[in-house]
Amino acid sequence: MDRNLLLYNSLKRTKQLFKPLHEGHVGMYVCGPTVYGDAHLGHARPAITFDILFRYLKHLGYKVRYVRNITDVGHLEHDADSGEDKIAKKARLEQLEPMEVVQLYLNRYHHDMEALNVLPPSIEPHASGHIIEQIEYIKKILDAGYAYESEGSVYFDVEKYNRDHKYGILSGRNIEDMLNTTRALDGQEEKRNPLDFALWKKASPEHIMHWPSPWSEGFPGWHLECSTMGEKYLGETFDIHGGGLDLMFPHHECEIAQSVAAQGHPAVNYWIHNNMITIEGKKMGKSYNNFITLEQFFNGDHPLLTQAYSPMVIRFFILQAQYRSTVDFSNEALQAAEKALQKMLDIYRRLQNLTPAEKSTVELPDFMTQAYEAMDDDLNTPMVIAVLFEAGKIINSAFDGNVKLSAGDIEKLRKLFDTFLIDLLGMKVGSEEGASNMKPFEGAVDLLMDIRKNAKEQKDWATSDLIRDQLAALGFNVKDTKQGVEWSLK
């Protein structure tokens, strides 16, 4: 096993170092949502991170099979008062089927992802739809001697595996340290070792979801679904496995052990983890009861928010940090992201309205190369954004009449923004919600601009100033430039 390859948690110099298994084809598996509640900002970050990777690999010419799983088994208990699972409680109180609850929140998740302009994966398998495959996977691990049955449950033998291979290779942990810090959990008396993890759990009487197996009526362990579905849809060895940094241990560490035990070799070439979103230094998540749902961001309905934020502001906020960096949430940070995004959208609109000159009076830097180098350097989206803002300085100067740009240079700049802002960063322009929804609004404002222009031509200054002042009171900036009248939202 190549430790350096296994610990390679980034795509440093993507074009040069990233070598897919099958030339021109990439298999990518990403841990998807646990659909027991509304998606929050912590769910948005991995979705957007791997959306960027998906977009870029396709842009480079790879054929990508992107698998993102749905976790919908193993945690649905009737009495959730003492746990995190509020969906099971909802199912009981409202007399819903568990799969009704799953579908309800999966629909909401898909709605939120569409709003964030996250492309759908190639395949989105459910854990509940692959129980037979998970049972067969457990049999292979048992046959290899790395698992044992105990009172109807099946556990992975971590100590035996560690003797033959190495448990902790991804996270850098060792068994001795882990034994000293392992907390007591229910069912520990069934295990040979506190570190052993469940491959199959015998269902207690109150457990809602359970299936027949050779060992008991029960349900698969959480770690098993990704190993099973990754192999089914991407093969015994595939290129990329991704997820949040909090999944590196134990989830991904257990996946590695399972695949080596079942197949005799690791399944994954590249492990990629996005870092956390924090609030006051703590991870944002349901276990800390400090999360804000995406819907609350979109409508502003949360005590920590002073306003609503559009999905594109949320996306831009996340992309302003490199995916392996921690992002600390604050309302002020979102407001700053909103202002920065508005400046970027203003630059894009001005670019579309530039009038070409016969010859440029300024030499354009090679912005395309700079932006590609940023993407190749571990998907450095903040550097891509910085390159676009640098290009924006020239665009603004040209729009204000301070420099001239030829048709060829304007086309280069349009290609830069279309490639990186639109295609790769996935930003919607014309409106944070999508240009189609914005057209009537923009048309109405443009009509007012035409009326104001006619008023100025007729020296009707009162009408001209009235339109400008009223629009300003409504939150618009109206500016007279050499290119004409420009308007934007404050």
Side-chain angles (χ1 to χ4, degrees), residues 1 6 9 29-32 46 50 67 69 71 161 166-172 197 222-227 238 240-260 266-268 270-274:
M1 183 182 297
L6 202 60
N9 292 315
Y29 190 100
V30 175
C31 292
F50 293 101
V67 180
N69 71 296
T71 297
Y161 173 85
K166 168 62 178 169
Y167 183 76
I169 192 169
L170 184 64
S171 60
F197 56 88
W222 171 41
H223 310 305
L224 191 65
E225 64 188 70
C226 292
S227 295
F238 55 92
I240 298 170
H241 195 322
L245 187 62
D246 56 327
L247 297 178
M248 180 185 290
F249 184 87
H251 186 48
H252 291 161
E253 201 72 76
C254 292
E255 281 191 58
I256 292 170
Q258 289 170 164
S259 64
V260 172
V268 180
Y270 296 88
W271 289 91
I272 303 175
H273 298 94
N274 64 272

Side-chain angles (χ1 to χ4, degrees), residues 228-243:
T228 302
M229 293 188 288
E231 178 186 306
K232 175 165 183 174
Y233 295 107
L234 298 174
E236 285 195 1
T237 310
F238 55 92
D239 302 295
I240 298 170
H241 195 322

Side-chain angles (χ1 to χ4, degrees), residues 349-350 353 399 445-446 448-454 456-457 464 467-468 471 477-488:
R349 182 167 54 247
R350 289 172 178 174
N353 294 323
F399 191 85
V445 179
D446 288 340
L448 285 173
M449 293 297 101
D450 289 340
I451 294 172
R452 182 171 179 269
K453 178 183 176 184
N454 291 334
K456 289 180 68 177
E457 289 173 352
S464 172
I467 293 173
R468 181 197 61 205
L471 285 174
N477 285 315
V478 178
K479 183 179 179 182
D480 294 305
T481 71
K482 293 181 180 180
Q483 299 282 342
V485 180
E486 178 193 12
W487 64 268
S488 64

Side-chain angles (χ1 to χ4, degrees), residues 349 429-431 435 437-447 487:
R349 182 167 54 247
V429 298
S431 163
N437 295 336
M438 192 70 166
K439 286 180 180 177
F441 172 76
E442 289 180 338
V445 179
D446 288 340
L447 177 60
W487 64 268

Side-chain angles (χ1 to χ4, degrees), residues 183-233:
R183 61 189 176 93
L185 297 171
D186 290 340
Q188 290 280 27
E189 66 278 357
E190 298 178 0
K191 301 180 182 181
R192 296 176 183 171
N193 188 305
L195 292 180
D196 295 348
F197 56 88
L199 298 173
W200 185 267
K201 282 289 290 181
K202 181 179 180 180
S204 56
E206 67 272 15
H207 212 86
I208 297 175
M209 302 178 75
H210 48 82
W211 294 264
S213 79
W215 315 287
S216 67
E217 186 80 12
F219 55 94
W222 171 41
H223 310 305
L224 191 65
E225 64 188 70
C226 292
S227 295
T228 302
M229 293 188 288
E231 178 186 306
K232 175 165 183 174
Y233 295 107

Side-chain angles (χ1 to χ4, degrees), residues 25 95 231 271 277 309 486:
H25 292 73
Q95 298 182 331
E231 178 186 306
W271 289 91
I277 291 181
Y309 293 97
E486 178 193 12

